[in-house]
Structure formats: C-alpha cells, structure tokens
Amino acid sequence: MSHDEYLIETEAGVKHVVQEAKRVAVLGIKTEDHSAQPAYYVPEYLAKAGVDVVPVPVYYPDAKVILGKPVYRKLVDIPGDIDLVDVFRRPGDIDQHVDDIIAKKPKAVWFQSGIRNDAAAKRLAAAGIRVVQDRCLMVDHRRYSGR
C-alpha cells in the first residue's frame, strides 16, 4: 500500500474504519460540564452505541473519570490496543500529538468535522495509520455501524 492509500477519502474506506472501531480513544474529549459540545456528546453517543471509549482529555487536569471511564493523559499510557483515535483538536494543535499517536499505533485516526491537517495526516499515513479528515464520527457511525 502506498502512503496515499492510508488517507481515506472513499465511502467504502470510511465504512471500514467505522466498522472496525470497537475501542476508540477520544483525544480532546470534554467533561460532562460541556455536554452540549461535540467533544462530549459524540463520545457519549459512541459509548451508548457499545463502543469502548477511552477518554484522553487535553485540558481538565482534575478530571479522573469521563463517561464512567478512567482518563489517560497520553495515548501511549493507554493499556492494550486502540482501533481508532477520534481527534477533537484545532488543526494547528494536532501536530503536538502526532508523535504520541504514532507511538500508540492505532489502526486509524479520525479528525472530526471541520478539522483538516494534511501535513499531520501524511505523517500518520507514512507510519501505516489510516486517516479520515473532516467528518463526524457520530454521523458516520450511525450510517455504517449496522446498528
């Protein structure tokens, strides 16, 4: 596979990423106090849909548990494998997380709606990690999860 094949642009590719996402780390997840924001309600939806959500907040240093799950500060600190990292960060803030993502080696990374960082996506693809950019995981999960 060339690196470009890891940059997922097709519906079939998106569907495959969604269907294999059983354990999802949410980078930039917000706390229950922010329940009206996508960075909380998208992972909440996933958890209710049966996905094993692993919270990785960037702020909220006092948060120990989100959605009933223990919080991790870095992806590499999460025990076990991760299928997908769902990213809620501004495009310019993604670069600081790329090394952590590559070190964790998830199958795929998902940049939420409105989030595109082609340089970061290329680095992840070069490391053999599939990348979906600028899509809402909640919308695509509803469409493709088969639930």
Side-chain angles (χ1 to χ4, degrees), residues 94-114:
I94 291 174
D95 297 330
Q96 63 188 303
H97 298 288
V98 170
D99 289 340
D100 183 34
I101 294 169
I102 290 172
K104 185 61 193 167
K105 280 294 264 182
K107 293 177 191 164
V109 175
W110 191 289
F111 297 166
Q112 279 289 144
S113 304

Side-chain angles (χ1 to χ4, degrees), residues 31-42:
T31 59
E32 282 82 352
D33 298 343
H34 300 274
S35 61
Q37 297 191 21
Y40 179 79
Y41 70 70
V42 169

Side-chain angles (χ1 to χ4, degrees), residues 54-72:
V54 183
V56 186
V58 175
Y59 305 110
Y60 319 110
D62 298 332
K64 302 281 183 274
V65 174
I66 298 175
L67 292 171
K69 300 287 186 116
V71 160
Y72 293 90

